[in-house]
Amino acid sequence: MDRRFSEFFNPELIKRAQCQVLRYKGFSFPLDAEADQLPLFPEALASSFERVLVTDLQYDSRQIKPGNLYFALPGLHTDGHRYIPQAIERGAVVIVHQYELERYEPEVIYIQTADSRFAMSPISAIFFHEPSKELGIIGVTGTEGKSTTVFLIYQLLTLAGKKAGFISTVQYRIGEKEEWNPEHQTTPEAPTIHRALAAMRDYGMEYAVVESSSHGLSPRTNRLGDVAFDVGVMTNVTHEHLEFHGTWEQYRSDKANLFRVLDKVNHEKALRNGPLNEMGLRLPVRIPSFSVANADDPSYDYFSNATERRTYSYSIHGEDADLSIRSLEGSDQGNNYDVWVRATGETLHVQDKLPGTFNAANVMAAMLVVSGLTGISIADLVPLVPQLRPVRGRMTIVDRGQPFEVIVDYAHTPSSFETVLPPVKKRIEGRGGRLISLFGSGGERDREKRPRQGRIAADWSDIVILADEDPRGEDPMALLEEIAAGCPELVRDQELFLIPDRPQAIRKAFSLARPGDVVLLLGKGHENSIIYKNHTMPYDEIGEAEKALAEMGFENRG
């Protein structure tokens, strides 16, 4: 999308992005965020703004192309201000920065802001013509279940006849087809978000479902600060990402920003396929605004109190809720359950094809969202549930005819271990099967969770194998020892193995597996790499498992 600088540099952008100074052609102009009009630029300078064509927005100097605007962002390991010269060499015509610079090139526009990372969101929204104001936007947050719930809402909207797109950790759809997300980042940076929403809008979609991480909802990153959410969903809130948020209370509060923003957004939106008036102009459509939250989670009241909008609830444990499961039977092929519907008093039988009993909760969340947005009753959505597809890398079964089960899942937190491991263990106990769990923990992330991971794995597993997840800058073996500290009762090299090399660890797990056992490969799921200090190794957990089974002589897929 090409836009002239003068088209989007306006008083609203200055205010929302907290712009302080504009420098161009040797001039320096203080910017007033409270002013209703731009500074009085010299006529020659104002006319030159008309000739500056901005072709796209980038925050990585290596991705700069001619005509791009470059955001210089302070970072954990490096500072984007250092790469401003390289960005200009590559063709950047506008630089957004927060620190004073030693040199200002006369033919480049410099915008100094209070916080260039914070400013990235409003500038992106305005540059792409505020796409979230022309779509019904559903945000999904939680420690676990976000990607699956996003995918289920998107699918259910589509099955209900609505045109929808989505953005998740695993996949996204912004146009004709679903595509894999190559990044490890749950919620992308603001330019990526608004570029994707603009593509959905231009494709004629009605709804966008956005996976909303605590990082993305935090004002420190402001990735989602200018997305006009209509619906917020909370799956659960447990212990995660304290290395960023500092405290669990701050982590929960940042997530609850998704619910708080519902009260601030204008939900009258001009959808691309909405009704037209007599002059052919689009009429605004009122998007239903509400929230959906897990009644089984201790933070349910905290989230429901964060918004004045109606909060719909669901429970997998039979608690009083708008949708409440009264019975639940799961297998490796999916789940069968009865759901009581508070609004009608009826009990409906639901069948899904999503391995893992916890997925019943994600299905209920999706049904509440789609029913609330479209007016379709829960009873009329139930027949669509068997058509819902699971997310790749979420309780994905790898079957080449081997006599033991292999399941790949993204679980990487203590609470997700408590969700995934017990049902699998209980399911195979009757047949004498053992549970072999293989996992690691992310480097340069929350260290407090590591021994807890080990503790939970030891409680439910017969054999634990610790392997690299994303060590990043940490020593891989030292990291695994921190996990192992949580399971001291396991006998080393009999019940507990520390094998950093993940492909080698998988082969060890398979060599130990007997008929009837289950091998759980946890933590990588859909991801396509393992990140080390000085390199990133391409990696596909499902593909690696299939390769290891083939080496053992198992070639037939079940």
Side-chain angles (χ1 to χ4, degrees):
M1 175 183 290
D2 294 353
R3 295 199 66 187
R4 297 190 184 282
F5 179 75
S6 56
E7 291 176 354
F8 67 91
F9 183 73
N10 54 38
E12 183 182 4
L13 183 145
I14 293 172
K15 179 177 182 178
R16 287 166 58 181
Q18 301 173 11
C19 301
Q20 298 175 330
V21 183
L22 181 143
R23 296 179 177 89
Y24 187 43
K25 293 186 178 295
F27 293 93
S28 179
F29 297 92
L31 300 174
D32 183 359
E34 302 303 320
D36 294 326
Q37 54 188 351
L38 294 173
L40 187 61
F41 298 120
E43 185 175 341
L45 202 61
S47 63
S48 19
F49 286 152
E50 293 285 335
R51 295 192 293 272
V52 176
L53 192 67
V54 179
T55 54
D56 202 355
L57 312 180
Q58 294 290 347
Y59 54 89
D60 185 338
S61 63
R62 297 166 297 183
Q63 304 299 320
I64 291 289
K65 293 181 174 56
N68 284 183
L69 178 153
Y70 172 61
F71 295 98
L73 308 178
L76 181 64
H77 297 294
T78 188
D79 190 326
H81 291 75
R82 293 173 52 191
Y83 303 103
I84 289 174
Q86 290 91 322
I88 293 172
E89 281 182 22
R90 290 176 176 269
V93 295
V94 179
I95 304 295
V96 175
H97 62 106
Q98 72 185 61
Y99 303 138
E100 290 278 354
L101 306 178
E102 292 182 0
R103 176 177 173 79
Y104 296 92
E105 300 293 339
E107 298 304 315
V108 174
I109 298 172
Y110 294 85
I111 303 173
Q112 186 172 357
T113 68
D115 183 333
S116 53
R117 181 174 289 281
F118 185 92
M120 191 156 61
S121 174
I123 292 173
S124 299
I126 291 169
F127 180 82
F128 289 106
H129 296 284
E130 304 275 13
S132 69
K133 294 182 179 179
E134 299 180 76
L135 293 160
I137 308 287
I138 305 102
V140 180
T141 196
T143 308
E144 290 100 28
K146 295 188 297 296
S147 294
T148 294
T149 303
V150 164
F151 194 47
L152 297 182
I153 294 170
Y154 149 74
Q155 290 184 78
L156 204 53
L157 281 169
T158 303
L159 291 168
K162 304 300 180 181
K163 202 168 184 181
F166 73 103
I167 304 168
S168 83
T169 310
V170 185
Q171 292 172 280
Y172 60 89
R173 180 178 178 182
I174 60 175
E176 188 65 33
K177 61 183 181 179
E178 297 167 12
E179 300 181 66
W180 298 111
N181 185 347
E183 305 293 334
H184 283 215
Q185 209 170 37
T186 299
T187 300
E189 297 287 357
T192 305
I193 287 285
H194 289 280
R195 189 183 297 112
L197 293 176
M200 294 184 206
R201 172 198 62 199
D202 297 343
Y203 192 70
M205 291 178 177
E206 300 169 78
Y207 300 101
V209 194
V210 180
E211 185 169 349
S212 306
S213 68
S214 57
H215 288 70
L217 291 164
S218 168
R220 287 173 56 192
T221 71
N222 202 36
R223 292 175 193 164
L224 297 171
D226 292 84
V227 175
F229 288 101
D230 300 290
V231 177
V233 181
M234 182 274 282
T235 59
N236 67 346
V237 184
T238 60
H239 191 281
E240 179 74 326
H241 294 308
L242 299 193
E243 82 290 340
F244 176 81
H245 300 278
T247 66
W248 182 82
E249 289 77 15
Q250 186 63 53
Y251 171 59
R252 183 172 69 164
S253 179
D254 284 339
K255 282 189 171 296
N257 286 334
L258 175 62
F259 282 39
R260 297 184 185 107
V261 76
L262 301 180
D263 301 334
K264 304 173 184 177
V265 168
N266 181 1
H267 303 286
E268 297 278 346
K269 296 190 171 182
L271 306 183
R272 281 293 169 100
N273 60 351
L276 303 176
N277 64 15
E278 296 175 354
M279 301 178 62
L281 301 174
R282 277 180 291 156
L283 293 170
V285 175
R286 182 75 180 176
I287 304 294
S289 180
F290 55 92
S291 60
V292 172
N294 181 357
D296 297 327
D297 193 276
S299 292
Y300 171 82
D301 288 339
Y302 180 86
F303 276 77
S304 63
N305 290 332
T307 178
E308 296 178 1
R309 304 289 167 178
R310 166 75 186 272
T311 299
Y312 294 94
S313 58
Y314 61 94
S315 169
I316 198 173
H317 298 311
E319 300 296 329
D320 184 34
D322 290 293
L323 293 184
S324 182
I325 288 183
R326 300 303 196 211
S327 65
L328 173 59
E329 294 181 1
S331 72
D332 60 355
Q333 300 301 314
N335 305 294
N336 286 280
Y337 40 103
D338 293 325
V339 177
W340 179 73
V341 184
R342 175 190 281 162
T344 61
E346 62 191 323
T347 299
L348 306 172
H349 184 70
V350 182
Q351 182 175 11
D352 68 49
K353 296 180 180 177
L354 309 168
T357 53
F358 55 85
N359 272 318
N362 299 327
V363 169
M364 286 191 294
M367 287 197 293
L368 285 170
V369 170
V370 175
S371 179
L373 283 171
T374 65
I376 300 172
S377 70
I378 297 296
D380 288 336
L381 291 174
V382 166
L384 302 178
V385 171
Q387 299 179 57
L388 297 174
R389 294 169 284 134
V391 177
R392 185 178 189 273
R394 304 300 198 272
M395 295 302 287
T396 298
I397 297 169
V398 181
D399 188 355
R400 281 183 169 265
Q402 74 276 5
F404 52 89
E405 293 182 44
V406 176
I407 302 174
V408 173
D409 192 71
Y410 188 54
H412 60 282
T413 64
S415 58
S416 61
F417 280 21
E418 290 172 335
T419 299
V420 171
L421 273 63
V424 175
K425 178 64 174 177
K426 292 174 182 177
R427 175 170 63 81
I428 64 176
E429 275 182 328
R431 71 187 189 210
R434 302 174 305 161
L435 179 56
I436 302 172
S437 298
L438 183 152
F439 62 94
S441 199
E444 299 177 359
R445 299 294 185 268
D446 184 3
R447 295 178 62 176
E448 291 181 27
K449 75 176 185 179
R450 295 173 187 174
R452 294 179 60 202
Q453 287 177 285
R455 174 71 269 157
I456 297 164
D459 285 345
W460 294 100
S461 308
D462 298 280
I463 296 174
V464 172
I465 300 177
L466 303 180
D468 289 343
E469 188 176 301
D470 284 318
R472 297 184 175 88
E474 293 193 43
D475 175 77
M477 185 60 82
L479 189 158
L480 300 185
E481 287 287 1
E482 290 187 25
I483 304 172
C487 42
E489 75 280 11
L490 295 184
V491 180
R492 293 282 183 116
D493 299 326
Q494 293 182 31
E495 299 168 313
L496 175 64
F497 299 85
L498 277 62
I499 307 173
D501 183 277
R502 196 166 179 110
Q504 181 185 342
I506 288 175
R507 283 156 179 80
K508 180 64 175 181
F510 291 172
S511 73
L512 295 172
R514 304 170 187 161
D517 289 352
V518 171
V519 179
L520 273 178
L521 306 179
L522 303 173
K524 293 306 295 179
H526 64 284
E527 292 182 346
N528 56 15
S529 66
I530 298 178
I531 303 171
Y532 292 91
K533 181 177 182 179
N534 296 317
H535 72 286
T536 297
M537 182 179 84
Y539 182 76
D540 174 6
E541 186 96 299
I542 295 171
E544 194 63 44
E546 290 177 335
K547 181 180 177 181
L549 290 171
E551 291 170 5
M552 297 173 70
F554 300 113
E555 296 288 350
N556 299 321
R557 296 177 185 270

Short mmCIF file of all heavy atoms in Angstrom, two decimals, residues 440-486:
data_model
loop_
_atom_site.label_atom_id
_atom_site.label_comp_id
_atom_site.label_asym_id
_atom_site.label_seq_id
_atom_site.Cartn_x
_atom_site.Cartn_y
_atom_site.Cartn_z
N GLY A 440 11.02 -29.64 27.12
CA GLY A 440 12.08 -28.75 27.60
C GLY A 440 11.44 -27.50 28.15
O GLY A 440 10.30 -27.51 28.62
N SER A 441 12.14 -26.38 28.07
CA SER A 441 11.59 -25.10 28.51
C SER A 441 12.33 -23.99 27.77
O SER A 441 13.52 -24.14 27.45
CB SER A 441 11.75 -24.93 30.02
OG SER A 441 10.88 -23.94 30.52
N GLY A 442 11.64 -22.90 27.50
CA GLY A 442 12.24 -21.82 26.72
C GLY A 442 13.31 -21.08 27.49
O GLY A 442 13.13 -20.71 28.65
N GLY A 443 14.44 -20.85 26.85
CA GLY A 443 15.51 -20.07 27.45
C GLY A 443 15.16 -18.60 27.48
O GLY A 443 14.37 -18.10 26.67
N GLU A 444 15.73 -17.87 28.45
CA GLU A 444 15.51 -16.43 28.60
C GLU A 444 14.03 -16.10 28.81
O GLU A 444 13.53 -15.06 28.38
CB GLU A 444 16.07 -15.65 27.40
CG GLU A 444 17.57 -15.84 27.22
CD GLU A 444 18.11 -15.12 26.00
OE1 GLU A 444 17.32 -14.48 25.27
OE2 GLU A 444 19.32 -15.21 25.77
N ARG A 445 13.33 -17.05 29.42
CA ARG A 445 11.92 -16.89 29.75
C ARG A 445 11.73 -17.25 31.22
O ARG A 445 12.69 -17.52 31.92
CB ARG A 445 11.03 -17.76 28.84
CG ARG A 445 11.12 -17.44 27.35
CD ARG A 445 10.57 -16.05 27.05
NE ARG A 445 10.53 -15.77 25.63
CZ ARG A 445 11.50 -15.18 24.94
NH1 ARG A 445 12.62 -14.84 25.57
NH2 ARG A 445 11.36 -14.92 23.65
N ASP A 446 10.52 -17.28 31.68
CA ASP A 446 10.18 -17.51 33.07
C ASP A 446 10.86 -18.76 33.63
O ASP A 446 10.54 -19.88 33.27
CB ASP A 446 8.65 -17.66 33.16
CG ASP A 446 8.16 -17.81 34.59
OD1 ASP A 446 9.00 -17.73 35.51
OD2 ASP A 446 6.95 -17.98 34.76
N ARG A 447 11.83 -18.57 34.54
CA ARG A 447 12.59 -19.69 35.10
C ARG A 447 11.84 -20.38 36.24
O ARG A 447 12.09 -21.55 36.52
CB ARG A 447 13.95 -19.21 35.60
CG ARG A 447 14.86 -18.71 34.48
CD ARG A 447 16.19 -18.20 35.00
NE ARG A 447 16.96 -19.24 35.68
CZ ARG A 447 18.18 -19.05 36.15
NH1 ARG A 447 18.75 -17.87 36.02
NH2 ARG A 447 18.81 -20.03 36.76
N GLU A 448 10.91 -19.67 36.87
CA GLU A 448 10.20 -20.24 38.01
C GLU A 448 9.38 -21.47 37.61
O GLU A 448 9.14 -22.35 38.43
CB GLU A 448 9.28 -19.19 38.63
CG GLU A 448 10.02 -18.06 39.34
CD GLU A 448 9.06 -17.07 39.96
OE1 GLU A 448 7.91 -17.49 40.31
OE2 GLU A 448 9.41 -15.89 40.10
N LYS A 449 8.94 -21.50 36.37
CA LYS A 449 8.07 -22.60 35.96
C LYS A 449 8.83 -23.91 35.72
O LYS A 449 8.22 -24.98 35.67
CB LYS A 449 7.29 -22.23 34.70
CG LYS A 449 8.11 -22.24 33.41
CD LYS A 449 7.23 -21.96 32.20
CE LYS A 449 8.00 -22.08 30.89
NZ LYS A 449 7.15 -21.84 29.72
N ARG A 450 10.15 -23.85 35.58
CA ARG A 450 10.90 -25.03 35.15
C ARG A 450 10.79 -26.19 36.14
O ARG A 450 10.41 -27.30 35.74
CB ARG A 450 12.36 -24.66 34.87
CG ARG A 450 12.48 -23.70 33.69
CD ARG A 450 13.90 -23.18 33.49
NE ARG A 450 13.92 -22.15 32.46
CZ ARG A 450 15.00 -21.42 32.15
NH1 ARG A 450 16.14 -21.62 32.81
NH2 ARG A 450 14.94 -20.51 31.21
N PRO A 451 11.11 -26.00 37.43
CA PRO A 451 10.95 -27.13 38.35
C PRO A 451 9.51 -27.58 38.48
O PRO A 451 9.24 -28.76 38.75
CB PRO A 451 11.51 -26.60 39.68
CG PRO A 451 11.52 -25.12 39.54
CD PRO A 451 11.71 -24.83 38.10
N ARG A 452 8.56 -26.66 38.30
CA ARG A 452 7.15 -27.05 38.35
C ARG A 452 6.80 -27.95 37.18
O ARG A 452 6.01 -28.89 37.32
CB ARG A 452 6.26 -25.80 38.36
CG ARG A 452 6.42 -24.94 39.61
CD ARG A 452 5.55 -23.72 39.55
NE ARG A 452 4.14 -24.08 39.43
CZ ARG A 452 3.22 -23.27 38.95
NH1 ARG A 452 3.56 -22.05 38.53
NH2 ARG A 452 1.96 -23.64 38.88
N GLN A 453 7.35 -27.66 36.01
CA GLN A 453 7.16 -28.56 34.88
C GLN A 453 7.66 -29.97 35.23
O GLN A 453 7.00 -30.97 34.96
CB GLN A 453 7.92 -28.04 33.65
CG GLN A 453 7.33 -26.83 32.98
CD GLN A 453 8.20 -26.39 31.82
OE1 GLN A 453 9.26 -25.80 32.03
NE2 GLN A 453 7.78 -26.66 30.61
N GLY A 454 8.87 -30.01 35.80
CA GLY A 454 9.45 -31.30 36.17
C GLY A 454 8.61 -32.04 37.19
O GLY A 454 8.40 -33.25 37.09
N ARG A 455 8.08 -31.29 38.18
CA ARG A 455 7.27 -31.88 39.24
C ARG A 455 6.01 -32.53 38.66
O ARG A 455 5.65 -33.67 38.98
CB ARG A 455 6.89 -30.81 40.25
CG ARG A 455 5.93 -31.17 41.36
CD ARG A 455 6.56 -32.08 42.36
NE ARG A 455 6.35 -33.47 42.03
CZ ARG A 455 7.12 -34.47 42.43
NH1 ARG A 455 8.20 -34.24 43.15
NH2 ARG A 455 6.86 -35.70 42.10
N ILE A 456 5.30 -31.79 37.81
CA ILE A 456 4.04 -32.29 37.24
C ILE A 456 4.30 -33.47 36.31
O ILE A 456 3.58 -34.48 36.34
CB ILE A 456 3.31 -31.16 36.49
CG1 ILE A 456 2.93 -30.06 37.48
CG2 ILE A 456 2.07 -31.69 35.78
CD1 ILE A 456 2.55 -28.75 36.82
N ALA A 457 5.36 -33.37 35.50
CA ALA A 457 5.69 -34.47 34.60
C ALA A 457 6.01 -35.74 35.39
O ALA A 457 5.59 -36.84 35.02
CB ALA A 457 6.85 -34.09 33.71
N ALA A 458 6.76 -35.59 36.48
CA ALA A 458 7.11 -36.75 37.29
C ALA A 458 5.88 -37.37 37.95
O ALA A 458 5.80 -38.59 38.13
CB ALA A 458 8.13 -36.35 38.36
N ASP A 459 4.91 -36.54 38.31
CA ASP A 459 3.70 -37.04 38.96
C ASP A 459 2.88 -37.93 38.04
O ASP A 459 2.23 -38.88 38.50
CB ASP A 459 2.82 -35.86 39.43
CG ASP A 459 3.38 -35.18 40.67
OD1 ASP A 459 4.26 -35.77 41.33
OD2 ASP A 459 2.93 -34.06 40.96
N TRP A 460 2.90 -37.64 36.74
CA TRP A 460 2.01 -38.34 35.83
C TRP A 460 2.72 -39.23 34.82
O TRP A 460 2.06 -40.02 34.12
CB TRP A 460 1.13 -37.33 35.08
CG TRP A 460 0.20 -36.61 35.99
CD1 TRP A 460 0.35 -35.36 36.51
CD2 TRP A 460 -1.02 -37.11 36.53
NE1 TRP A 460 -0.71 -35.04 37.33
CE2 TRP A 460 -1.57 -36.11 37.36
CE3 TRP A 460 -1.72 -38.33 36.38
CZ2 TRP A 460 -2.78 -36.28 38.05
CZ3 TRP A 460 -2.91 -38.49 37.06
CH2 TRP A 460 -3.44 -37.48 37.88
N SER A 461 4.03 -39.12 34.71
CA SER A 461 4.77 -39.88 33.69
C SER A 461 5.56 -41.01 34.33
O SER A 461 6.02 -40.91 35.47
CB SER A 461 5.73 -38.95 32.94
OG SER A 461 5.07 -37.81 32.44
N ASP A 462 5.74 -42.07 33.57
CA ASP A 462 6.60 -43.17 34.00
C ASP A 462 8.05 -42.90 33.64
O ASP A 462 8.97 -43.30 34.36
CB ASP A 462 6.13 -44.48 33.35
CG ASP A 462 4.71 -44.83 33.77
OD1 ASP A 462 4.53 -45.37 34.86
OD2 ASP A 462 3.77 -44.53 32.99
N ILE A 463 8.24 -42.22 32.52
CA ILE A 463 9.59 -41.84 32.07
C ILE A 463 9.55 -40.39 31.61
O ILE A 463 8.61 -39.98 30.90
CB ILE A 463 10.08 -42.75 30.92
CG1 ILE A 463 10.21 -44.21 31.40
CG2 ILE A 463 11.41 -42.25 30.36
CD1 ILE A 463 10.53 -45.19 30.29
N VAL A 464 10.53 -39.61 32.01
CA VAL A 464 10.64 -38.21 31.59
C VAL A 464 11.95 -38.03 30.84
O VAL A 464 13.01 -38.42 31.33
CB VAL A 464 10.59 -37.26 32.80
CG1 VAL A 464 10.90 -35.82 32.37
CG2 VAL A 464 9.22 -37.32 33.47
N ILE A 465 11.87 -37.44 29.66
CA ILE A 465 13.05 -37.14 28.85
C ILE A 465 13.08 -35.64 28.61
O ILE A 465 12.13 -35.07 28.06
CB ILE A 465 13.04 -37.91 27.52
CG1 ILE A 465 13.00 -39.42 27.79
CG2 ILE A 465 14.26 -37.54 26.67
CD1 ILE A 465 12.92 -40.27 26.54
N LEU A 466 14.13 -34.97 29.04
CA LEU A 466 14.27 -33.53 28.89
C LEU A 466 15.15 -33.21 27.69
O LEU A 466 16.24 -33.79 27.55
CB LEU A 466 14.84 -32.92 30.17
CG LEU A 466 14.04 -33.21 31.45
CD1 LEU A 466 14.71 -32.56 32.65
CD2 LEU A 466 12.60 -32.73 31.30
N ALA A 467 14.66 -32.31 26.85
CA ALA A 467 15.36 -31.99 25.60
C ALA A 467 15.20 -30.50 25.29
O ALA A 467 14.37 -29.81 25.89
CB ALA A 467 14.79 -32.83 24.46
N ASP A 468 15.99 -30.01 24.36
CA ASP A 468 15.94 -28.60 23.98
C ASP A 468 14.56 -28.21 23.47
O ASP A 468 13.92 -28.96 22.73
CB ASP A 468 16.97 -28.29 22.89
CG ASP A 468 18.39 -28.32 23.41
OD1 ASP A 468 18.57 -28.26 24.64
OD2 ASP A 468 19.31 -28.42 22.58
N GLU A 469 14.12 -27.01 23.89
CA GLU A 469 12.91 -26.42 23.30
C GLU A 469 13.39 -25.22 22.48
O GLU A 469 13.49 -25.28 21.28
CB GLU A 469 11.94 -26.01 24.41
CG GLU A 469 10.60 -25.56 23.89
CD GLU A 469 9.64 -25.27 25.01
OE1 GLU A 469 9.34 -26.17 25.82
OE2 GLU A 469 9.18 -24.10 25.08
N ASP A 470 13.70 -24.12 23.15
CA ASP A 470 14.38 -22.97 22.53
C ASP A 470 15.36 -22.44 23.58
O ASP A 470 15.03 -21.50 24.32
CB ASP A 470 13.40 -21.87 22.13
CG ASP A 470 12.61 -22.18 20.89
OD1 ASP A 470 13.20 -22.70 19.93
OD2 ASP A 470 11.39 -21.91 20.88
N PRO A 471 16.57 -23.00 23.70
CA PRO A 471 17.49 -22.55 24.76
C PRO A 471 17.88 -21.08 24.66
O PRO A 471 18.25 -20.46 25.65
CB PRO A 471 18.71 -23.45 24.57
CG PRO A 471 18.23 -24.61 23.77
CD PRO A 471 17.13 -24.10 22.90
N ARG A 472 17.84 -20.56 23.44
CA ARG A 472 18.28 -19.18 23.20
C ARG A 472 19.69 -18.99 23.75
O ARG A 472 20.57 -19.77 23.45
CB ARG A 472 17.26 -18.18 23.76
CG ARG A 472 15.90 -18.29 23.08
CD ARG A 472 14.92 -17.22 23.57
NE ARG A 472 13.68 -17.27 22.81
CZ ARG A 472 12.63 -18.06 23.14
NH1 ARG A 472 12.68 -18.85 24.20
NH2 ARG A 472 11.55 -18.06 22.38
N GLY A 473 19.91 -17.97 24.59
CA GLY A 473 21.26 -17.69 25.05
C GLY A 473 21.71 -18.48 26.25
O GLY A 473 22.83 -18.28 26.74
N GLU A 474 20.88 -19.38 26.76
CA GLU A 474 21.23 -20.14 27.96
C GLU A 474 21.97 -21.43 27.60
O GLU A 474 21.85 -21.95 26.48
CB GLU A 474 19.98 -20.49 28.76
CG GLU A 474 19.29 -19.28 29.37
CD GLU A 474 18.24 -19.68 30.40
OE1 GLU A 474 18.52 -20.59 31.22
OE2 GLU A 474 17.14 -19.10 30.37
N ASP A 475 22.72 -21.95 28.58
CA ASP A 475 23.38 -23.24 28.40
C ASP A 475 22.31 -24.34 28.42
O ASP A 475 21.59 -24.47 29.41
CB ASP A 475 24.38 -23.48 29.52
CG ASP A 475 25.00 -24.86 29.42
OD1 ASP A 475 25.87 -25.06 28.57
OD2 ASP A 475 24.59 -25.75 30.21
N PRO A 476 22.19 -25.13 27.35
CA PRO A 476 21.10 -26.10 27.27
C PRO A 476 21.05 -27.09 28.42
O PRO A 476 19.98 -27.33 28.99
CB PRO A 476 21.35 -26.81 25.93
CG PRO A 476 22.05 -25.78 25.09
CD PRO A 476 22.93 -25.06 26.06
N MET A 477 22.21 -27.65 28.80
CA MET A 477 22.19 -28.65 29.86
C MET A 477 21.85 -28.03 31.22
O MET A 477 21.12 -28.62 32.02
CB MET A 477 23.53 -29.38 29.93
CG MET A 477 23.55 -30.53 30.93
SD MET A 477 22.31 -31.82 30.59
CE MET A 477 23.19 -32.78 29.33
N ALA A 478 22.37 -26.83 31.48
CA ALA A 478 22.05 -26.16 32.74
C ALA A 478 20.56 -25.87 32.84
O ALA A 478 19.96 -25.98 33.92
CB ALA A 478 22.86 -24.86 32.86
N LEU A 479 19.96 -25.50 31.72
CA LEU A 479 18.52 -25.24 31.69
C LEU A 479 17.73 -26.51 32.03
O LEU A 479 16.79 -26.49 32.84
CB LEU A 479 18.12 -24.72 30.30
CG LEU A 479 16.71 -24.17 30.09
CD1 LEU A 479 16.69 -23.24 28.89
CD2 LEU A 479 15.68 -25.26 29.90
N LEU A 480 18.13 -27.64 31.42
CA LEU A 480 17.43 -28.89 31.68
C LEU A 480 17.61 -29.33 33.13
O LEU A 480 16.70 -29.93 33.73
CB LEU A 480 17.93 -29.99 30.73
CG LEU A 480 17.73 -29.73 29.23
CD1 LEU A 480 18.16 -30.95 28.42
CD2 LEU A 480 16.30 -29.34 28.91
N GLU A 481 18.75 -29.03 33.73
CA GLU A 481 18.97 -29.38 35.13
C GLU A 481 18.00 -28.62 36.03
O GLU A 481 17.57 -29.14 37.07
CB GLU A 481 20.41 -29.09 35.54
CG GLU A 481 21.44 -30.05 34.97
CD GLU A 481 21.42 -31.43 35.62
OE1 GLU A 481 20.58 -31.66 36.52
OE2 GLU A 481 22.25 -32.28 35.22
N GLU A 482 17.62 -27.39 35.65
CA GLU A 482 16.64 -26.64 36.44
C GLU A 482 15.28 -27.32 36.41
O GLU A 482 14.53 -27.31 37.39
CB GLU A 482 16.54 -25.21 35.93
CG GLU A 482 17.78 -24.37 36.20
CD GLU A 482 17.58 -22.91 35.84
OE1 GLU A 482 16.41 -22.44 35.85
OE2 GLU A 482 18.57 -22.23 35.55
N ILE A 483 14.93 -27.91 35.26
CA ILE A 483 13.68 -28.67 35.19
C ILE A 483 13.79 -29.93 36.03
O ILE A 483 12.89 -30.29 36.80
CB ILE A 483 13.34 -29.04 33.73
CG1 ILE A 483 13.28 -27.81 32.83
CG2 ILE A 483 12.02 -29.81 33.67
CD1 ILE A 483 13.14 -28.12 31.36
N ALA A 484 14.92 -30.62 35.90
CA ALA A 484 15.15 -31.88 36.62
C ALA A 484 15.10 -31.70 38.13
O ALA A 484 14.79 -32.65 38.86
CB ALA A 484 16.49 -32.49 36.20
N ALA A 485 15.38 -30.49 38.59
CA ALA A 485 15.32 -30.24 40.04
C ALA A 485 13.93 -30.46 40.60
O ALA A 485 13.77 -30.69 41.81
CB ALA A 485 15.78 -28.81 40.33
N GLY A 486 12.93 -30.44 39.73
CA GLY A 486 11.56 -30.65 40.17
C GLY A 486 11.16 -32.12 40.28
O GLY A 486 10.06 -32.42 40.76
#
